[in-house]
Amino acid sequence: MTDPTGSNDTTGRDPDSIQRLLETDSGARHPAGPIGYFLLAVALCWSLFQIWHASPLPFMLDFGVFNSTQARALHLGFAMLLAYLAWPARRGRTGDTRIPWFDWVLALTGGFAATYVFWFYAGLSERPGIPLTRDIVVAAIGMLLLLEAARRTLGLPLVIVALVFLAYVFFGDAAILPEMLRWKGASIDRAMSHQWLTTEGVYGIALGVSTSFVFLFVLFGSLLEQAGAGGWFIRVAFSLLGAMRGGPAKAAVLASGMTGVISGSSIANVVTTGTFTIPLMRRVGFTRDKAGAIEVASSVNGQLMPPVMGAAAFLMVEYVGISYVEVIRHAILPAIIAYAALLYMVHLEALKGDMRGLPRRHPWHPLNAIIAFGFTIAGLIILSAAVYWGIGWIRTVAGDAAVWIVTAVLAAIHVGLIRHAARFERPPADDPSAPLTEIPDPGPTIQSGLHFLLPVILLIWCLMVERLSPGLSAFWATVALIAILLTQRPLFAWFRGDIPIAPEFARGGIELVHGLIGGARNMTGIAVATATAGIIVGTVTLTGIGQVMTEFVELISGGNLLAMLILTAFICLVLGMGLPTTANYIVVSSLMAPVVVTLAGEQGLIVPLIAVHLFVFYFGIMADVTPPVGLASFAAAAVSGGDPIRTGVHAFVYSLRTVVLPFLFLFNTELLLIGVDSIPHLVLTTVVAIIGMLVFAAGTQGWFLRRCRVWETAALLLVAFSLFRPGFWIDRIVPPFEDISAARLESWVQALPANEDLRLVVERQDYDGDTKSIVTVVDTGPKADFNTRMREAGFVFLQRAGENWTAEPAFNGPLDDPRYQPEMTIERIRAPVDQPRSEWIYIPALLLLGGIMAVQWRRPGDFEKRTTNEHE
């Protein structure tokens, strides 16, 4: 066997294991004959249905309009059909060409149960909460078949989690449960009605997001891959970074990051890009385990990279209640600095091993790269400005006809880019795993596929500028991509003039059909995962276990905020083990996000909800890395021939920056661009964050300019902490708050400006008789008298009690908490204190960093000492 470099394969790869991993997303069965065509037709019909549902055509034609519940039912129905027809009962079997009769029965039964809400929607809406026996029977059968579909497509972990939660629904009053966890339990009628016949469980928000947004983005990624963009991403990454020290590893990070932008699966990312990148990393000196670990760290981090984020971005829109653009804005900086740090870690690994890159096809001076990069950035800025103002001008002049003019301009740009790309050397069969013995020139490589960026730019334009919904944005981007698929091969043939044009039209059509089918098959597991995760969400809403989790974490952590966060992170890791990204986020956000909000708030740390959701999301996807379950690590080991556990350990070390980041942005929300209100502030925040993460990477790797001594490692970590959390030191110098007697509450509130926060320490008693002092922050609303502003803040029945005040919370107000008795005592006011700006801490931190650099610069490096010794 030969590897992609053209040399003998020394990776020890197991082709069967790799094939099984690839089929995890799309199913292992590929029957031939009429049955095979039927299976393809089901997948094709699903994609066409989703495109129709996302398009404006149903409303324009007043035909085929489905409400959200009906669309969710059809979405799950297609997924259930494919889950039983494309995935065999025994996981791991590849190349199945036969579908046994019982799978046909299960597929049809599961499809009917999933679409039951669609067929009987009118009757169910007329008798809400009063199910018939038939409804309960169908719901119970559907629930069982959904769990089996999840086992086939996703494995046992999600099924086990769902079964545990279902058991809690029915046996919540069992004596074996601790008193804290018990609840009264539910009947079969109530549980099945809640989980299957309402939008609280299986057909809840998660499946709704899968139906409305996620499918179109997965389909978009499948079509983009079918068009050849995946191979182009890899070639671009290697042309830019492959010749650097440890270049293949750096190229793997960049390629996986670009692929992760459009991919919803870290495992698929590992297998598809890793098949090419891991052997090349081995070639320049990385061990099997480290090569696999670098691919794991970069591929899993692809789920953090906007605009898709493994579909979690669209779920956050619904769960957090902010716009999609805001989610992207908050998530972008942590993702960028995580990738920058990983690139730097790879560079440090290459320095440790004195590794080199692959040879370039032609000499390429670094200065040329800098100049080319500068011109590229300037060109993009000018082009962006021209497009932005140009489209605005066209709208003003052309009115409703502007859409057709812009479409014609995009078509002309597409033709022009392909004409330009046709001048360059054709990649070998567009195969990313083709032999690579030297690094191609960046210019021609990049220019040969610029037309792939058109639908991506259109997608971002619709999302960010036009502010269309994610579903409609993905629809228009998909339409553009379909046009590219159908026309790019004929256009290349025309401009190159070396092959007939007519057959290329047919090839483009075939690729389009394959992309539509591949998108549906890739989506099956995600749809089943979101539906199954809906069982957990339904359990939370039915039983109130979210409140129990809050009490549990608070009890175990002893009330310490940092211990609470660490315990929450650990629970997210455990809950996320073996789950795909989408289901993972649904589970951890449903259970753990309210815990962080509540417990942090009680400690006086007021955290934006998006920060909390990103916190649990980061730790949820770390389960793909962390042994012993880390599925991405097993996938990389199958490619590299390394040990999965050692690969996972190395990947976890490379991912330490991902572990640290969520803690940092909880305490310093500027990393999420919250409170960043000017361009200079944005630049300062970005630059300092990147420097801090690079210094942290150097500290954890034990190598900066030279191999670090113990004190240097400690100093680097101190610098990194100071750059990320400068407010910590300012708080030690000047405490942020001072306590003021509650006796001054009335005059204090009357003096507060409009809509100013009021921070109070209140004493509350829970229903077990335990008393706690809690920090609470409330908004006092517009200027008014004392009683009015306190009512606005959520206090009622307020009265003086000596030095303190007693009060009760307004019903459903910000202070209404079912864990505590209504009456509370306001003990004191926590007044903010004027502090020096936290940015002053950057100066001593950077001076310390400069001192470390000076010390290490004077010290000879390991390779210099080795060369000197050999010479002597």
Side-chain angles (χ1 to χ4, degrees):
M1 181 188 298
T2 59
D3 68 11
T5 66
S7 60
N8 290 334
D9 184 7
T10 59
T11 62
R13 289 177 291 170
D14 179 357
D16 290 337
S17 297
I18 297 171
Q19 183 63 26
R20 284 196 294 271
L21 287 163
L22 284 169
E23 289 173 344
T24 298
D25 285 338
S26 59
R29 279 191 184 135
H30 299 277
I35 293 177
Y37 287 119
F38 174 78
L39 193 58
L40 297 179
V42 171
L44 181 61
C45 288
W46 189 10
S47 288
L48 294 176
F49 161 72
Q50 294 288 165
I51 292 173
W52 173 265
H53 180 62
S55 76
L57 289 176
F59 300 96
M60 294 169 61
L61 302 176
D62 196 22
F63 170 77
V65 179
F66 304 104
N67 64 37
S68 60
T69 304
Q70 292 172 319
R72 294 173 193 183
L74 290 172
H75 180 79
L76 183 57
F78 277 113
M80 292 280 271
L81 269 175
L82 285 177
Y84 283 102
L85 297 180
W87 276 261
R90 286 178 54 195
R91 283 179 59 83
R93 295 182 60 180
T94 61
D96 253 353
T97 58
R98 185 180 63 87
I99 302 176
W101 65 267
F102 55 83
D103 275 356
W104 283 104
V105 173
L106 293 175
L108 294 173
T109 307
F112 172 74
T115 55
Y116 182 80
V117 175
F118 172 80
W119 301 117
F120 299 95
Y121 180 77
L124 290 169
S125 61
E126 290 172 0
R127 43 184 168 80
I130 312 174
L132 304 176
T133 303
R134 179 190 67 195
D135 301 335
I136 301 302
V137 170
V138 171
I141 293 172
M143 188 74 75
L144 293 174
L145 292 177
L146 175 61
L147 292 171
E148 168 59 11
R151 186 196 67 80
R152 292 187 180 208
T153 57
L154 305 164
L156 279 174
L158 182 57
V159 177
I160 292 172
V161 172
L163 286 173
V164 168
F165 277 83
L166 277 178
Y168 182 69
V169 168
F170 295 117
F171 308 109
D173 57 350
I176 61 172
L177 288 175
E179 184 68 30
M180 178 186 293
L181 296 178
R182 291 183 195 169
W183 86 295
K184 63 182 180 179
S187 65
I188 185 74
D189 286 15
R190 184 184 177 197
M192 291 302 101
S193 175
H194 185 84
Q195 295 281 15
W196 199 265
L197 303 177
T198 71
T199 55
E200 294 291 330
V202 170
Y203 296 94
I205 289 175
L207 190 63
V209 171
S210 177
T211 305
S212 302
F213 307 147
V214 178
F215 190 103
L216 266 294
F217 279 86
V218 170
L219 179 61
F220 181 77
S222 174
L223 292 173
L224 204 56
E225 181 70 29
Q226 194 69 39
W232 180 68
F233 284 157
I234 293 176
R235 291 193 300 275
V236 167
F238 271 86
S239 70
L240 292 172
L241 303 177
M244 295 181 179
R245 187 185 287 272
K250 294 175 182 175
V253 174
L254 182 59
S256 295
M258 290 191 293
T259 305
V261 167
I262 60 170
S263 170
S265 169
S266 55
I267 297 171
N269 199 344
V270 166
V271 176
T272 52
T273 61
T275 303
F276 179 64
T277 59
I278 288 174
L280 289 172
M281 284 190 267
R282 294 276 292 120
R283 179 178 169 182
V284 298
F286 286 93
T287 65
R288 299 178 194 275
D289 298 330
K290 286 190 176 181
I294 290 169
E295 182 60 48
V296 168
S298 53
S299 294
V300 170
N301 271 195
Q303 307 303 291
L304 307 177
M305 184 63 72
V308 177
M309 297 168 62
F314 314 117
L315 290 161
M316 286 181 192
V317 170
E318 300 296 326
Y319 288 161
V320 181
I322 60 178
S323 72
Y324 176 80
V325 174
E326 287 181 277
V327 171
I328 298 308
R329 180 168 66 88
H330 296 316
I332 187 68
L333 182 56
I336 290 173
I337 62 178
Y339 264 104
L342 183 56
L343 278 170
Y344 186 54
M345 283 182 169
V346 167
H347 178 71
L348 295 176
E349 285 286 359
L351 283 175
K352 291 179 187 179
D354 195 25
M355 301 174 193
R356 304 296 172 181
L358 295 174
R360 280 204 178 276
R361 182 173 302 170
H362 299 109
W364 200 55
H365 196 276
L367 183 60
N368 295 340
I370 295 172
I371 294 173
F373 181 76
F375 275 111
T376 301
I377 295 299
L380 286 174
I381 293 173
I382 294 170
L383 179 63
S384 299
V387 169
Y388 183 81
W389 297 109
I391 290 180
W393 178 80
I394 291 172
R395 278 180 177 163
T396 303
V397 173
D400 293 339
V403 174
W404 301 106
I405 296 173
V406 171
T407 301
V409 170
L410 285 175
I413 293 173
H414 168 59
V415 173
L417 288 175
I418 289 186
R419 181 180 181 181
H420 182 68
R423 299 165 45 207
F424 302 104
E425 180 182 351
R426 183 183 303 159
D430 290 332
D431 182 6
S433 62
L436 180 67
T437 56
E438 58 184 6
I439 300 302
D441 296 333
T445 303
I446 293 172
Q447 294 174 63
S448 67
L450 287 175
H451 59 287
F452 293 132
L453 296 180
L454 281 177
V456 178
I457 293 171
L458 179 62
L459 173 64
I460 296 172
W461 176 273
C462 290
L463 287 169
M464 302 294 186
V465 180
E466 299 293 335
R467 297 297 179 99
L468 302 180
S469 70
L472 193 55
S473 301
F475 167 76
W476 289 118
T478 301
V479 169
L481 192 48
I482 289 172
I484 288 175
L485 263 170
L486 291 174
T487 59
Q488 67 169 347
R489 287 191 177 277
L491 287 172
F492 270 117
W494 183 24
F495 290 124
R496 284 178 174 146
D498 55 353
I499 53 176
I501 297 177
E504 295 301 293
F505 276 107
R507 286 188 65 186
I510 292 170
E511 287 176 345
L512 171 60
V513 172
H514 285 171
L516 293 171
I517 292 169
R521 292 187 66 139
N522 291 343
M523 186 63 202
T524 304
I526 297 175
V528 171
T530 53
T532 308
I535 297 173
I536 289 96
V537 178
T539 302
V540 172
T541 58
L542 181 62
T543 66
I545 193 176
Q547 176 186 332
V548 174
M549 288 300 299
T550 302
E551 295 173 357
F552 172 77
V553 171
E554 187 174 24
L555 176 66
I556 298 299
S557 63
N560 180 275
L561 178 59
L562 188 58
M564 291 174 191
L565 294 175
I566 292 173
L567 181 59
T568 301
F570 177 75
I571 293 173
C572 289
L573 276 175
V574 173
L575 289 173
M577 285 184 177
L579 304 189
T581 304
T582 313
N584 184 325
Y585 170 68
I586 295 167
V587 172
V588 298
S589 64
S590 300
L591 276 179
M592 303 312 301
V595 173
V596 178
V597 171
T598 301
L599 297 183
E602 289 182 356
Q603 298 288 322
L605 178 65
I606 307 305
V607 185
L609 192 56
I610 182 63
V612 175
H613 277 258
L614 285 171
F615 178 91
V616 298
F617 175 57
Y618 269 54
F619 281 103
I621 66 167
M622 279 299 295
D624 272 350
V625 176
T626 311
V629 178
L631 295 181
S633 298
F634 278 83
V639 178
S640 69
D643 179 82
I645 301 301
R646 286 199 297 269
T647 299
V649 171
H650 284 300
F652 183 79
V653 172
Y654 293 141
S655 300
L656 281 175
R657 72 215 185 287
T658 310
V659 174
V660 170
L661 264 175
F663 288 96
L664 296 173
F665 59 59
L666 277 186
F667 290 97
N668 181 10
T669 54
E670 285 187 356
L671 294 174
L672 302 178
L673 303 184
I674 295 174
V676 176
D677 49 11
S678 66
I679 297 298
H681 195 179
L682 172 63
V683 172
L684 179 65
T685 301
T686 303
V687 171
V688 170
I690 291 175
I691 293 173
M693 189 51 72
L694 296 184
V695 172
F696 176 79
T700 54
Q701 290 295 101
W703 194 291
F704 190 31
L705 301 180
R706 303 284 188 268
R707 188 180 299 278
C708 293
R709 292 167 181 165
V710 174
W711 74 267
E712 291 171 338
T713 296
L716 287 172
L717 294 177
L718 177 63
V719 170
F721 176 77
S722 301
L723 293 177
F724 275 120
R725 183 77 173 90
F728 175 84
W729 302 113
I730 295 294
D731 291 349
R732 304 286 83 74
I733 299 168
V734 180
F737 301 101
E738 64 175 337
D739 288 337
I740 295 177
S741 170
R744 294 177 54 189
L745 180 64
E746 185 169 357
S747 60
W748 186 270
V749 170
Q750 288 177 334
L752 283 177
N755 301 309
E756 186 75 9
D757 284 343
L758 175 64
R759 187 178 296 259
L760 303 171
V761 178
V762 299
E763 183 183 89
R764 303 194 72 172
Q765 191 174 68
D766 63 22
Y767 285 95
D768 293 329
D770 298 327
T771 301
K772 291 198 308 183
S773 288
I774 301 168
V775 178
T776 184
V777 180
V778 293
D779 184 355
T780 53
K783 291 287 286 185
D785 62 81
F786 171 66
N787 289 321
T788 300
R789 298 193 77 175
M790 292 303 287
R791 281 196 301 271
E792 182 74 22
F795 293 95
V796 295
F797 307 117
L798 192 71
Q799 60 183 5
R800 187 76 173 264
E803 293 292 310
N804 298 329
W805 292 75
T806 60
E808 291 185 11
F811 179 70
N812 279 339
L815 301 172
D816 188 17
D817 191 329
R819 294 178 300 155
Y820 298 107
Q821 296 183 20
E823 186 172 300
M824 68 181 78
T825 301
I826 302 175
E827 294 183 322
R828 56 189 183 276
I829 306 165
R830 302 212 72 196
V833 174
D834 286 335
Q835 293 180 298
R837 290 185 62 87
S838 60
E839 286 82 359
W840 286 110
I841 298 297
Y842 295 158
I843 296 175
L846 293 174
L847 288 174
L848 177 57
L849 180 63
I852 299 169
M853 292 175 67
V855 169
Q856 291 201 352
W857 190 265
R858 294 179 191 160
R859 191 166 70 234
D862 292 6
F863 300 109
E864 294 167 350
K865 288 190 288 186
R866 185 187 308 161
T867 303
T868 302
N869 293 336
E870 289 172 355
H871 179 72
E872 293 174 352

